[in-house]
Amino acid sequence: MAEGLFRAIGYQKTAVADIARELGMSPANVYLFFPSKSAINEAITARLLEGVASDLEAIADGPGAAPDRLRAMLRALHARHLALFFSQKRMHDMVSAAMSEHWGVISGFIARIEAAMGRVIADGARRGEFAPIDPAEGARMLKQATLCWTHPVLIADAMDKRQVEEAQMAGELDGMLDLLIRGLRPDS
Amino acid sequence: MAEGLFRAIGYQKTAVADIARELGMSPANVYLFFPSKSAINEAITARLLEGVASDLEAIADGPGAAPDRLRAMLRALHARHLALFFSQKRMHDMVSAAMSEHWGVISGFIARIEAAMGRVIADGARRGEFAPIDPAEGARMLKQATLCWTHPVLIADAMDKRQVEEAQMAGELDGMLDLLIRGLRPDS
DNA sequence: GAACTGACGAAAGTCAATATTCGTCAGTGA
DNA sequence: TCACTGACGAATATTGACTTTCGTCAGTTC
């Protein structure tokens, strides 16, 4: 129904009249499906984030050692944001706006990812791969420590101004993950 | 000479005419001391950051265990930014602008602090308190992992929207520092 | 001639009038 | 009744005239 929407849309620049024309409707009719323009934006964003979140959850709840899964999750999250920035700038801008303006979708997305990371940490602790830290707290710290690599605004900042290479950034993230995972390990 | 400047000035809102009046000069005369308006802003910012940097260097090069000094440095840095945000919003805004617009002063300031943290890490490694990690790399990671608590824009964001308590924020920083310092320790 | 200034062009910022866009609602056709 | 629309008031964006500010320079004062 609203499938056609998610194709040729750019955030904040296209009017609902454009969307309606794209769908072969009148502008008024769009409001039978969405309560407001910002609801449309949120729906598009939610659609995008849903894909990311389910990918990360697949990693979190999949096989492998807990540290490896954490590493894979954060690498994947970083890679997704980087890809967005380079190949779908409009979407990147929309997600950036969603974060700085604290849209509704974002908090759910973050909670979902933190929960997934929390599960991995709890699992790792159960298996003796991690120290018995509070999973929720650990997950939040991981998120905050890697903010540079997963926050759209900070990524854009790094790429725009400092001219950081893509590979170098990924390398630094790996170093950070080494440090954090060392910190999570139990005393031996 | 330019001492009188640093009192009653607000960033980006006061004209050089105001500064000149404050100093009992004509606007034109100000340009004998500063090459441009932005040079005045940078000078004010540099003055502020100089104080912070020298405080942190005193901690870095002072007595105590390396982990404790690192912790003290980052706590102090966080506290300074928080204090700025609450009691000198104009200055906070100026530093924020300096960071987002990448003024000249900033890179020097960051380099200085990273160097100081690097010295502490190297010192700790020499004494066996830390694993033999590359000091520069370790310092950069510490900086990035604690960005939430030391980046003016992120602090403002956290305080404005999420209504985070001051104490809670400091507590989370402590947790983060625990994790990071655990990660830096040598295998035992 | 050293220290400073008034006056001025260029650039940036301000604000109100204008033009778009949002979202509603009575109304059309099936 | 249901799926939809044209027309319209309210809210938001854009334009452009006007004002302020920046930074220079010839010129004044001591």
mmCIF file of all heavy atoms in Angstrom, chain B residues 94-129:
data_model
loop_
_atom_site.group_PDB
_atom_site.id
_atom_site.type_symbol
_atom_site.label_atom_id
_atom_site.label_comp_id
_atom_site.label_asym_id
_atom_site.label_seq_id
_atom_site.Cartn_x
_atom_site.Cartn_y
_atom_site.Cartn_z
ATOM 1 N N MET B 94 30.567 29.076 22.632
ATOM 2 C CA MET B 94 31.727 29.417 21.811
ATOM 3 C C MET B 94 32.615 28.196 21.607
ATOM 4 O O MET B 94 33.051 27.922 20.486
ATOM 5 C CB MET B 94 32.531 30.554 22.447
ATOM 6 C CG MET B 94 33.657 31.035 21.552
ATOM 7 S SD MET B 94 34.243 32.669 21.983
ATOM 8 C CE MET B 94 35.019 32.338 23.531
ATOM 9 N N VAL B 95 32.851 27.440 22.664
ATOM 10 C CA VAL B 95 33.680 26.239 22.517
ATOM 11 C C VAL B 95 32.987 25.230 21.602
ATOM 12 O O VAL B 95 33.623 24.581 20.770
ATOM 13 C CB VAL B 95 33.987 25.614 23.897
ATOM 14 C CG1 VAL B 95 34.774 24.326 23.738
ATOM 15 C CG2 VAL B 95 34.762 26.596 24.756
ATOM 16 N N SER B 96 31.674 25.123 21.749
ATOM 17 C CA SER B 96 30.926 24.230 20.859
ATOM 18 C C SER B 96 31.142 24.613 19.409
ATOM 19 O O SER B 96 31.441 23.773 18.556
ATOM 20 C CB SER B 96 29.429 24.292 21.182
ATOM 21 O OG SER B 96 29.168 23.747 22.449
ATOM 22 N N ALA B 97 30.973 25.910 19.142
ATOM 23 C CA ALA B 97 31.171 26.393 17.776
ATOM 24 C C ALA B 97 32.597 26.115 17.322
ATOM 25 O O ALA B 97 32.829 25.674 16.188
ATOM 26 C CB ALA B 97 30.874 27.886 17.700
ATOM 27 N N ALA B 98 33.540 26.358 18.216
ATOM 28 C CA ALA B 98 34.949 26.131 17.869
ATOM 29 C C ALA B 98 35.175 24.691 17.450
ATOM 30 O O ALA B 98 35.922 24.410 16.510
ATOM 31 C CB ALA B 98 35.846 26.478 19.055
ATOM 32 N N MET B 99 34.492 23.767 18.135
ATOM 33 C CA MET B 99 34.681 22.358 17.799
ATOM 34 C C MET B 99 33.960 21.988 16.513
ATOM 35 O O MET B 99 34.536 21.333 15.641
ATOM 36 C CB MET B 99 34.223 21.473 18.944
ATOM 37 C CG MET B 99 35.088 21.660 20.171
ATOM 38 S SD MET B 99 34.988 20.298 21.351
ATOM 39 C CE MET B 99 35.908 19.018 20.510
ATOM 40 N N SER B 100 32.711 22.399 16.367
ATOM 41 C CA SER B 100 31.991 21.984 15.148
ATOM 42 C C SER B 100 32.565 22.640 13.909
ATOM 43 O O SER B 100 32.530 22.064 12.835
ATOM 44 C CB SER B 100 30.493 22.272 15.262
ATOM 45 O OG SER B 100 30.145 22.884 16.452
ATOM 46 N N GLU B 101 33.100 23.848 14.085
ATOM 47 C CA GLU B 101 33.649 24.545 12.910
ATOM 48 C C GLU B 101 35.157 24.360 12.762
ATOM 49 O O GLU B 101 35.781 24.978 11.913
ATOM 50 C CB GLU B 101 33.314 26.038 13.002
ATOM 51 C CG GLU B 101 31.820 26.310 12.933
ATOM 52 C CD GLU B 101 31.480 27.703 13.479
ATOM 53 O OE1 GLU B 101 32.382 28.560 13.540
ATOM 54 O OE2 GLU B 101 30.299 27.919 13.851
ATOM 55 N N HIS B 102 35.709 23.541 13.649
ATOM 56 C CA HIS B 102 37.132 23.205 13.580
ATOM 57 C C HIS B 102 38.036 24.426 13.553
ATOM 58 O O HIS B 102 38.870 24.565 12.647
ATOM 59 C CB HIS B 102 37.400 22.313 12.369
ATOM 60 C CG HIS B 102 36.712 20.993 12.443
ATOM 61 N ND1 HIS B 102 35.415 20.803 12.008
ATOM 62 C CD2 HIS B 102 37.109 19.796 12.922
ATOM 63 C CE1 HIS B 102 35.064 19.551 12.208
ATOM 64 N NE2 HIS B 102 36.063 18.915 12.771
ATOM 65 N N TRP B 103 37.894 25.291 14.549
ATOM 66 C CA TRP B 103 38.800 26.430 14.662
ATOM 67 C C TRP B 103 40.224 25.932 14.909
ATOM 68 O O TRP B 103 40.431 24.803 15.353
ATOM 69 C CB TRP B 103 38.398 27.327 15.826
ATOM 70 C CG TRP B 103 37.057 27.973 15.685
ATOM 71 C CD1 TRP B 103 36.152 27.792 14.665
ATOM 72 C CD2 TRP B 103 36.452 28.883 16.594
ATOM 73 N NE1 TRP B 103 35.034 28.545 14.892
ATOM 74 C CE2 TRP B 103 35.184 29.223 16.064
ATOM 75 C CE3 TRP B 103 36.857 29.457 17.793
ATOM 76 C CZ2 TRP B 103 34.323 30.112 16.717
ATOM 77 C CZ3 TRP B 103 36.009 30.345 18.443
ATOM 78 C CH2 TRP B 103 34.752 30.668 17.908
ATOM 79 N N GLY B 104 41.162 26.815 14.673
ATOM 80 C CA GLY B 104 42.562 26.438 14.832
ATOM 81 C C GLY B 104 42.937 26.001 16.235
ATOM 82 O O GLY B 104 43.693 25.052 16.423
ATOM 83 N N VAL B 105 42.408 26.675 17.245
ATOM 84 C CA VAL B 105 42.773 26.390 18.633
ATOM 85 C C VAL B 105 42.522 24.953 19.027
ATOM 86 O O VAL B 105 43.261 24.383 19.831
ATOM 87 C CB VAL B 105 41.957 27.243 19.632
ATOM 88 C CG1 VAL B 105 42.874 28.099 20.464
ATOM 89 C CG2 VAL B 105 40.893 28.042 18.939
ATOM 90 N N ILE B 106 41.458 24.399 18.498
ATOM 91 C CA ILE B 106 40.982 23.109 18.996
ATOM 92 C C ILE B 106 41.975 21.980 18.785
ATOM 93 O O ILE B 106 42.270 21.217 19.710
ATOM 94 C CB ILE B 106 39.632 22.759 18.338
ATOM 95 C CG1 ILE B 106 38.567 23.765 18.752
ATOM 96 C CG2 ILE B 106 39.214 21.360 18.718
ATOM 97 C CD1 ILE B 106 38.290 23.787 20.230
ATOM 98 N N SER B 107 42.507 21.897 17.575
ATOM 99 C CA SER B 107 43.371 20.744 17.288
ATOM 100 C C SER B 107 44.587 20.741 18.217
ATOM 101 O O SER B 107 45.003 19.694 18.699
ATOM 102 C CB SER B 107 43.801 20.755 15.824
ATOM 103 O OG SER B 107 44.556 21.916 15.550
ATOM 104 N N GLY B 108 45.119 21.922 18.496
ATOM 105 C CA GLY B 108 46.243 22.016 19.418
ATOM 106 C C GLY B 108 45.867 21.561 20.809
ATOM 107 O O GLY B 108 46.610 20.806 21.460
ATOM 108 N N PHE B 109 44.713 21.986 21.247
ATOM 109 C CA PHE B 109 44.226 21.611 22.582
ATOM 110 C C PHE B 109 44.085 20.100 22.686
ATOM 111 O O PHE B 109 44.565 19.477 23.639
ATOM 112 C CB PHE B 109 42.888 22.304 22.826
ATOM 113 C CG PHE B 109 42.207 21.904 24.094
ATOM 114 C CD1 PHE B 109 42.711 22.283 25.331
ATOM 115 C CD2 PHE B 109 41.038 21.144 24.050
ATOM 116 C CE1 PHE B 109 42.073 21.919 26.507
ATOM 117 C CE2 PHE B 109 40.387 20.780 25.215
ATOM 118 C CZ PHE B 109 40.908 21.162 26.437
ATOM 119 N N ILE B 110 43.438 19.505 21.691
ATOM 120 C CA ILE B 110 43.232 18.059 21.715
ATOM 121 C C ILE B 110 44.564 17.326 21.689
ATOM 122 O O ILE B 110 44.781 16.371 22.448
ATOM 123 C CB ILE B 110 42.348 17.624 20.522
ATOM 124 C CG1 ILE B 110 40.929 18.153 20.722
ATOM 125 C CG2 ILE B 110 42.337 16.112 20.386
ATOM 126 C CD1 ILE B 110 39.976 17.820 19.604
ATOM 127 N N ALA B 111 45.454 17.806 20.833
ATOM 128 C CA ALA B 111 46.766 17.166 20.752
ATOM 129 C C ALA B 111 47.468 17.215 22.100
ATOM 130 O O ALA B 111 48.088 16.243 22.536
ATOM 131 C CB ALA B 111 47.616 17.853 19.681
ATOM 132 N N ARG B 112 47.347 18.361 22.786
ATOM 133 C CA ARG B 112 48.011 18.516 24.075
ATOM 134 C C ARG B 112 47.486 17.522 25.093
ATOM 135 O O ARG B 112 48.228 16.898 25.841
ATOM 136 C CB ARG B 112 47.737 19.938 24.584
ATOM 137 C CG ARG B 112 48.977 20.640 25.077
ATOM 138 C CD ARG B 112 48.672 22.064 25.418
ATOM 139 N NE ARG B 112 49.033 22.365 26.795
ATOM 140 C CZ ARG B 112 48.859 23.569 27.344
ATOM 141 N NH1 ARG B 112 48.311 24.549 26.622
ATOM 142 N NH2 ARG B 112 49.208 23.779 28.594
ATOM 143 N N ILE B 113 46.154 17.379 25.112
ATOM 144 C CA ILE B 113 45.551 16.479 26.083
ATOM 145 C C ILE B 113 45.850 15.030 25.741
ATOM 146 O O ILE B 113 46.163 14.226 26.625
ATOM 147 C CB ILE B 113 44.033 16.728 26.147
ATOM 148 C CG1 ILE B 113 43.787 18.077 26.826
ATOM 149 C CG2 ILE B 113 43.338 15.618 26.910
ATOM 150 C CD1 ILE B 113 42.353 18.357 27.079
ATOM 151 N N GLU B 114 45.791 14.723 24.455
ATOM 152 C CA GLU B 114 46.120 13.350 24.069
ATOM 153 C C GLU B 114 47.573 13.041 24.409
ATOM 154 O O GLU B 114 47.889 11.936 24.868
ATOM 155 C CB GLU B 114 45.880 13.144 22.565
ATOM 156 C CG GLU B 114 44.433 12.843 22.232
ATOM 157 C CD GLU B 114 44.252 12.349 20.797
ATOM 158 O OE1 GLU B 114 45.155 11.669 20.280
ATOM 159 O OE2 GLU B 114 43.207 12.667 20.222
ATOM 160 N N ALA B 115 48.447 14.006 24.201
ATOM 161 C CA ALA B 115 49.855 13.799 24.541
ATOM 162 C C ALA B 115 50.010 13.534 26.031
ATOM 163 O O ALA B 115 50.741 12.632 26.452
ATOM 164 C CB ALA B 115 50.680 15.010 24.119
ATOM 165 N N ALA B 116 49.289 14.324 26.843
ATOM 166 C CA ALA B 116 49.384 14.141 28.297
ATOM 167 C C ALA B 116 48.870 12.759 28.692
ATOM 168 O O ALA B 116 49.502 12.054 29.499
ATOM 169 C CB ALA B 116 48.585 15.234 29.009
ATOM 170 N N MET B 117 47.755 12.355 28.102
ATOM 171 C CA MET B 117 47.238 11.021 28.414
ATOM 172 C C MET B 117 48.207 9.959 27.926
ATOM 173 O O MET B 117 48.420 8.942 28.596
ATOM 174 C CB MET B 117 45.870 10.828 27.772
ATOM 175 C CG MET B 117 44.775 11.661 28.446
ATOM 176 S SD MET B 117 43.098 11.054 28.140
ATOM 177 C CE MET B 117 42.969 11.177 26.378
ATOM 178 N N GLY B 118 48.811 10.209 26.785
ATOM 179 C CA GLY B 118 49.802 9.274 26.259
ATOM 180 C C GLY B 118 50.954 9.100 27.222
ATOM 181 O O GLY B 118 51.427 7.970 27.449
ATOM 182 N N ARG B 119 51.414 10.199 27.833
ATOM 183 C CA ARG B 119 52.514 10.104 28.808
ATOM 184 C C ARG B 119 52.118 9.236 29.989
ATOM 185 O O ARG B 119 52.894 8.411 30.465
ATOM 186 C CB ARG B 119 52.894 11.504 29.307
ATOM 187 C CG ARG B 119 53.629 12.343 28.285
ATOM 188 C CD ARG B 119 54.380 13.504 28.947
ATOM 189 N NE ARG B 119 53.503 14.457 29.633
ATOM 190 C CZ ARG B 119 52.831 15.438 29.023
ATOM 191 N NH1 ARG B 119 52.900 15.562 27.706
ATOM 192 N NH2 ARG B 119 52.088 16.274 29.717
ATOM 193 N N VAL B 120 50.872 9.413 30.444
ATOM 194 C CA VAL B 120 50.419 8.613 31.591
ATOM 195 C C VAL B 120 50.380 7.132 31.209
ATOM 196 O O VAL B 120 50.808 6.264 31.987
ATOM 197 C CB VAL B 120 49.023 9.070 32.059
ATOM 198 C CG1 VAL B 120 48.529 8.192 33.205
ATOM 199 C CG2 VAL B 120 49.059 10.523 32.489
ATOM 200 N N ILE B 121 49.889 6.853 29.999
ATOM 201 C CA ILE B 121 49.809 5.457 29.567
ATOM 202 C C ILE B 121 51.212 4.850 29.447
ATOM 203 O O ILE B 121 51.463 3.734 29.901
ATOM 204 C CB ILE B 121 49.060 5.360 28.225
ATOM 205 C CG1 ILE B 121 47.582 5.721 28.437
ATOM 206 C CG2 ILE B 121 49.174 3.956 27.643
ATOM 207 C CD1 ILE B 121 46.772 5.782 27.163
ATOM 208 N N ALA B 122 52.114 5.626 28.853
ATOM 209 C CA ALA B 122 53.492 5.134 28.720
ATOM 210 C C ALA B 122 54.099 4.886 30.091
ATOM 211 O O ALA B 122 54.754 3.863 30.335
ATOM 212 C CB ALA B 122 54.328 6.147 27.938
ATOM 213 N N ASP B 123 53.858 5.818 30.988
ATOM 214 C CA ASP B 123 54.375 5.694 32.356
ATOM 215 C C ASP B 123 53.815 4.445 33.027
ATOM 216 O O ASP B 123 54.551 3.663 33.637
ATOM 217 C CB ASP B 123 53.995 6.950 33.145
ATOM 218 C CG ASP B 123 54.679 6.978 34.511
ATOM 219 O OD1 ASP B 123 55.844 6.555 34.586
ATOM 220 O OD2 ASP B 123 54.012 7.407 35.481
ATOM 221 N N GLY B 124 52.511 4.267 32.866
ATOM 222 C CA GLY B 124 51.868 3.096 33.454
ATOM 223 C C GLY B 124 52.400 1.802 32.872
ATOM 224 O O GLY B 124 52.584 0.811 33.592
ATOM 225 N N ALA B 125 52.661 1.816 31.583
ATOM 226 C CA ALA B 125 53.191 0.617 30.930
ATOM 227 C C ALA B 125 54.588 0.305 31.482
ATOM 228 O O ALA B 125 54.912 -0.844 31.763
ATOM 229 C CB ALA B 125 53.239 0.818 29.422
ATOM 230 N N ARG B 126 55.381 1.363 31.642
ATOM 231 C CA ARG B 126 56.740 1.183 32.160
ATOM 232 C C ARG B 126 56.701 0.574 33.557
ATOM 233 O O ARG B 126 57.510 -0.269 33.918
ATOM 234 C CB ARG B 126 57.445 2.544 32.186
ATOM 235 C CG ARG B 126 58.955 2.470 32.277
ATOM 236 C CD ARG B 126 59.574 3.864 32.314
ATOM 237 N NE ARG B 126 59.006 4.755 31.310
ATOM 238 C CZ ARG B 126 58.349 5.895 31.609
ATOM 239 N NH1 ARG B 126 58.191 6.265 32.864
ATOM 240 N NH2 ARG B 126 57.845 6.638 30.638
ATOM 241 N N ARG B 127 55.717 1.015 34.357
ATOM 242 C CA ARG B 127 55.628 0.533 35.736
ATOM 243 C C ARG B 127 54.877 -0.790 35.846
ATOM 244 O O ARG B 127 54.647 -1.287 36.941
ATOM 245 C CB ARG B 127 54.892 1.563 36.575
ATOM 246 C CG ARG B 127 55.671 2.869 36.717
ATOM 247 C CD ARG B 127 55.228 3.554 37.985
ATOM 248 N NE ARG B 127 54.624 4.860 37.736
ATOM 249 C CZ ARG B 127 53.909 5.511 38.646
ATOM 250 N NH1 ARG B 127 53.669 4.958 39.834
ATOM 251 N NH2 ARG B 127 53.409 6.692 38.373
ATOM 252 N N GLY B 128 54.391 -1.303 34.732
ATOM 253 C CA GLY B 128 53.662 -2.571 34.767
ATOM 254 C C GLY B 128 52.200 -2.419 35.161
ATOM 255 O O GLY B 128 51.514 -3.412 35.400
ATOM 256 N N GLU B 129 51.717 -1.188 35.211
ATOM 257 C CA GLU B 129 50.297 -0.996 35.538
ATOM 258 C C GLU B 129 49.413 -1.182 34.318
ATOM 259 O O GLU B 129 48.227 -1.480 34.441
ATOM 260 C CB GLU B 129 50.086 0.397 36.135
ATOM 261 C CG GLU B 129 50.740 0.567 37.498
ATOM 262 C CD GLU B 129 50.788 2.031 37.937
ATOM 263 O OE1 GLU B 129 51.015 2.917 37.077
ATOM 264 O OE2 GLU B 129 50.594 2.280 39.132
#
